[in-house]
Amino acid sequence: MDIGVLNDVFKEVFDDTSLTITRETTADNVDGWDSMTHILLISSIEEKFGIEFSQKEVIKFKTVGDLLDSINLKLP
Amino acid sequence: MPFTDLRFLLLFLPLTVGVYQLLPKRIRLWFVVLASLIYFWLNQPFYLCFFVVFILVNFGLGLLLQHVLQKKYFSQYIFWAALLFNLVLLFGLKFLVENSSEIPNLLVVNLVKSETLPAIWIFPLGISYLVFQVIAYLLDIKNEITSAEKNLLKFAGLLLFFPKSIAGPIQRYRDSVDELDFASGTIDRTAEGIRRFIRGLAKKVLIADVIAQFINPVFNQTELSVTTPQAWLVLIGYAIQLYYDFSGYTDMAIGLGETFGLRMVENFNWPYISKNVTEFWRRWHISLSSWFRDYIFIPLQFRFRKQKKYPIQVSILLIFLLTGIWHGLDWHYIAWGLMLGIIIGFEATKLGKSLQKVWQPLQHLWTIFWILLSWVLFRSPGMTFAANYYKALFGLQGEVIPLPFSQTIPFPVAENSVIIAYVAGIMFAVPLIPWLKSHINSEKISPLGIRILRDIGLGLILIYCLGLIAASGPMPGIYGQF
C-alpha cells in the first residue's frame, strides 16, 4: 500500500482535504493530531484495512513512516 | 530546605555545584547521589530510610519485571503487584497525613514549619512525584519502550536527584537514560543553568511571594468577607501567584538539572495564552498532564476504541478526577478536577469544538474565565469557603466586613511592590521576551553586549532576591505539598 491511501484516511479523520503527509510527518506537523484524534486515527485505519494494532505498537509510532510500515506488515 | 532558603542558596548550592565541577566525570554520579541523600537528610531525616527502601524495592521490581517479560501472565502479576505497592504507599501516606488530628492544616505542614511538628506527620518530600516516575518506569518496561536500569546508582540518581525532589518535574526514565551518569555538566551548561535558576528565583520571590502576602489574608479568613471587586482582584492575584510560584520553582529545578548535566522536561509552555481549557491543560504542569495522557488516557481510549457508545468524556472525566485526587484526598481538589473534566469534556463535543471558530479574544476570555473559577476550588481550604467565594465573585455575598489591611472599599490599598508584581506578572505571562529576542537579534545591537547586560541584570536580581529573603524569610513552594 502506498502513502496516498493512508493520506485519504488522514484527510477524513482530520477533516482537512488539503492535508498532505509524508513518511517523516509527525503529530507536531498536523493540526489537531493529539492524543484524542490519535486513537480515532488508529481505529479508522483498523476499520479501513481490516487490521488490528496492539497497544504496544500504537504508543511506539513516532512518524507516519512507522505507521505505514506497521500497516504494510499486517496487510496480506 | 526549599530553594529559596538562604542556607540552600548560600551554602548547599555553591558547595555542590563547585565540588561537582571539580570532580572527574567518573565519580560525578556518586557525588550527585550523595548530595541528594544529604539534601533529603537535611529536610526530613526521619524519611531517609524510607526513601532508600523505596528506591531499592522499585529497582528490584524493575529488574524482576524485565526478567519475566516473556512470561505473559507472570509478568502481569509482577506488574500489578509493583503498581499496587506504589499506589498503596502514596495514598496510604496521603490518607495518614491528611486525617491526622496532629495536623492543624495541611497548608502549614511545610518545610518552614517542619521543626514544630513531629517528623512522622510531615508528608515525605515529593513522594507523589516519585511514585509517578516509578509507575511510568514500570509501564515503559512492561510496554518494552525501555529496559530496566541495571545500575542501582543511576536509578537512585534519577529518582533522588535533589533539584526535582520538592516539586518535580516528573522526569521519566526513558527521557533521561542517556544522561544518568551525570557526567556531562559543562561550564557552559552550568552558566545557562544558573541563569535559568535566577530567573526562576525572581519569578518566585519578586512576583509570587509578593502577591502571596497580599492575597493570603483573604484566603486565611475563617469566614470569608470580601467585596466583589476584591474577590476578582485576589483571584487574579492567585492565578499569577500559582503560575509564578510553580513555574519559578520548575525553572530553578531545570536550571539546577543543567548544572549537573541532566536535561529535564519542561513543565510550562505559556499556559495563560491558551485559547481553550484543553489547550491550557496541555501547557500547564506538562509533566503531570502528559503522564496522565500517556499512561491512562491513551490506554483507556485504545481499549474502548471499538465501542461506539463509549464517549471520550468518560476518559476525560476520569483523568481529571485522578488529577484532583493526586493533589490531595480533599473534596475541594476532587471538585476542582471534576470541574476541569466537565469543561474539557464539553470542549471535546461538537458544540465545544465550534467554540474554536468564534472571535479569538472571546476564546481567550472563555479560557481565563473557567481557569480563574477553577482556581477558587483549588485554593480554598474547603468546599464551604469555595462556595462563599463564588458568591462573592458574583455579588451574592452578604454584608462585607473590611479586612484589616484594606483601608478602602472596594479596592484595598496595596503597596507599590504588589502593584508592580501584578503588572509584571501579567506582562511576563505572555511570551513577550521570546518575541523581543526574535526581533532584537536581527537589529544591529551586538549580541555580546546584550549578553553582558543580561548577566549583570541577573546578578543584580539575585542580590535583590537574597536581600528580600534575608529580610522576610523563605516561603516554601505551593507544589511542595503534593
Side-chain angles (χ1 to χ4, degrees):
Chain A
M1 184 197 72
D2 67 29
I3 199 164
V5 188
L6 188 57
N7 206 147
D8 292 340
V9 183
F10 269 74
K11 284 178 182 171
E12 210 173 291
V13 170
F14 294 106
D15 198 16
D16 178 359
T17 46
S18 63
L19 183 64
T20 315
I21 53 164
T22 66
R23 285 190 62 88
E24 284 72 41
T25 304
T26 65
D28 294 339
N29 315 125
V30 178
D31 250 3
W33 190 352
D34 57 22
S35 53
M36 300 188 197
T37 44
H38 185 61
I39 304 297
L40 200 65
L41 177 72
I42 293 296
S43 49
S44 302
I45 292 169
E46 285 182 328
E47 215 168 287
K48 174 132 187 170
F49 300 112
I51 53 173
E52 199 155 291
F53 294 107
S54 73
Q55 195 195 309
K56 271 184 197 170
E57 290 171 312
V58 169
I59 51 182
K60 279 182 192 161
F61 295 142
K62 292 241 155 52
T63 63
V64 167
D66 298 340
L67 185 59
L68 193 64
D69 293 342
S70 175
I71 298 170
N72 279 329
L73 274 177
K74 287 175 193 289
L75 285 175
Chain B
M1 192 168 61
F3 297 158
T4 48
D5 190 317
L6 285 183
R7 289 170 296 178
F8 180 82
L9 289 167
L10 298 177
L11 277 174
F12 192 85
L13 184 57
L15 268 176
T16 46
V17 173
V19 173
Y20 172 87
Q21 288 294 336
L22 294 173
L23 287 176
K25 286 189 174 176
R26 64 193 150 76
I27 49 171
R28 283 179 168 181
L29 172 61
W30 284 91
F31 177 71
V32 167
V33 173
L34 183 71
S36 299
L37 283 171
I38 293 173
Y39 185 76
F40 272 83
W41 179 72
L42 286 172
N43 278 300
Q44 296 175 315
F46 178 83
Y47 277 117
L48 190 62
C49 286
F50 167 84
F51 280 112
V52 171
V53 172
F54 175 79
I55 301 282
L56 286 174
V57 170
N58 278 304
F59 178 70
L61 285 171
L63 285 175
L64 184 63
L65 185 61
Q66 175 84 50
H67 187 68
V68 297
L69 216 49
Q70 302 313 322
K71 297 171 189 148
K72 205 177 167 207
Y73 288 105
F74 196 46
S75 70
Q76 291 283 352
Y77 290 139
I78 297 291
F79 171 75
W80 286 106
L83 188 68
L84 198 68
F85 164 75
N86 282 290
L87 288 179
V88 166
L89 198 73
L90 173 63
F91 289 108
L93 279 164
K94 269 192 193 273
F95 184 79
L96 205 67
V97 169
E98 285 172 34
N99 286 289
S100 160
S101 55
E102 310 261 325
I103 299 174
N105 176 353
L106 189 67
L107 287 175
V108 302
V109 183
N110 235 315
L111 302 162
V112 168
K113 302 244 173 120
S114 60
E115 289 98 23
T116 58
L117 288 161
I120 189 165
W121 293 123
I122 303 155
F123 202 52
L125 201 63
I127 187 72
S128 317
Y129 300 92
L130 281 183
V131 166
F132 267 42
Q133 285 174 71
V134 165
I135 293 175
Y137 171 68
L138 295 168
L139 269 165
D140 285 350
I141 295 176
K142 182 173 167 276
N143 289 327
E144 294 172 51
I145 288 177
T146 188
S147 311
E149 175 58 60
K150 293 190 179 71
N151 183 335
L152 175 61
L153 215 55
K154 285 187 177 178
F155 186 73
L158 172 71
L159 287 185
L160 292 178
F161 189 41
F162 73 86
K164 60 173 186 55
S165 61
I166 292 182
I170 298 165
Q171 180 75 17
R172 297 186 203 174
Y173 174 78
R174 69 176 189 210
D175 296 330
S176 336
V177 66
D178 294 334
E179 291 189 316
L180 283 188
D181 48 10
F182 288 92
S184 53
T186 58
I187 295 287
D188 280 350
R189 280 184 85 173
T190 303
E192 202 42 54
I194 290 173
R195 284 187 200 109
R196 178 101 189 238
F197 183 89
I198 298 174
R199 285 204 298 271
L201 185 69
K203 278 163 106 173
K204 167 104 178 82
V205 175
L206 301 182
I207 297 180
D209 291 354
V210 170
I211 292 181
Q213 285 163 13
F214 175 67
I215 63 174
N216 279 350
V218 172
F219 289 107
N220 291 345
Q221 294 176 97
T222 36
E223 287 274 326
L224 180 76
S225 173
V226 69
T227 65
T228 300
Q230 266 177 7
W232 283 102
L233 192 70
V234 165
L235 186 56
I236 291 168
Y238 181 64
I240 301 171
Q241 185 214 351
L242 186 62
Y243 173 57
Y244 282 85
D245 187 284
F246 191 19
S247 75
Y249 231 90
T250 307
D251 284 335
M252 288 190 265
I254 292 175
L256 285 177
E258 279 298 304
T259 63
F260 294 97
L262 179 68
R263 174 140 305 155
M264 292 204 273
V265 290
E266 292 294 336
N267 233 358
F268 293 91
N269 181 22
W270 309 105
Y272 286 122
I273 64 166
S274 304
K275 291 199 289 269
N276 50 61
V277 181
T278 313
E279 186 188 350
F280 180 90
W281 204 248
R282 239 176 252 148
R283 292 167 172 271
W284 177 276
H285 204 175
I286 299 166
S287 68
L288 181 72
S289 54
S290 64
W291 190 99
F292 276 112
R293 179 196 66 205
D294 293 347
Y295 298 111
I296 299 187
F297 182 77
I298 290 181
L300 263 181
Q301 284 306 109
F302 185 77
R303 173 150 298 187
F304 292 110
R305 71 193 183 284
K306 284 179 187 152
Q307 296 179 5
K308 301 273 183 236
K309 280 185 185 156
Y310 180 81
I312 197 167
Q313 280 74 11
V314 177
S315 297
I316 294 174
L317 213 57
L318 179 72
I319 295 296
F320 280 95
L321 175 67
L322 292 174
T323 304
I325 292 173
W326 181 88
H327 286 82
L329 291 172
D330 266 312
W331 286 113
H332 66 105
Y333 286 130
I334 292 169
W336 168 74
L338 287 176
M339 177 178 176
L340 284 171
I342 290 168
I343 299 164
I344 291 174
F346 168 74
E347 287 184 348
T349 62
K350 266 214 166 103
L351 182 63
K353 280 180 184 158
S354 67
L355 284 175
Q356 292 171 16
K357 295 187 182 102
V358 304
W359 191 45
Q360 253 194 38
L362 282 181
Q363 295 182 40
H364 289 291
L365 206 64
W366 160 271
T367 312
I368 294 286
F369 178 73
W370 288 114
I371 292 300
L372 282 176
L373 289 195
S374 77
W375 290 150
V376 172
L377 281 167
F378 191 78
R379 178 61 178 88
S380 292
M383 289 300 282
T384 321
F385 189 96
N388 288 335
Y389 206 100
Y390 284 125
K391 279 186 196 161
L393 283 174
F394 299 105
L396 303 168
Q397 78 277 47
E399 196 189 339
V400 177
I401 308 150
L403 280 164
F405 70 88
S406 77
Q407 304 291 316
T408 54
I409 296 284
F411 285 105
V413 176
E415 284 179 34
N416 283 340
S417 62
V418 175
I419 298 169
I420 293 170
Y422 262 79
V423 173
I426 292 170
M427 246 170 62
F428 294 121
V430 296
L432 193 68
I433 291 179
W435 182 84
L436 278 175
K437 262 187 188 163
S438 66
H439 282 73
I440 284 177
N441 273 351
S442 57
E443 302 293 319
K444 284 177 191 163
I445 308 164
S446 117
L448 182 70
I450 292 178
R451 284 209 295 269
I452 292 172
L453 270 180
R454 173 197 61 188
D455 286 350
I456 292 174
L458 282 173
L460 291 174
I461 288 174
L462 175 64
I463 294 168
Y464 187 59
C465 288
L466 289 175
L468 271 187
I469 297 169
S472 57
M475 279 179 87
I478 295 173
Y479 260 72
Q481 63 183 300
F482 300 124

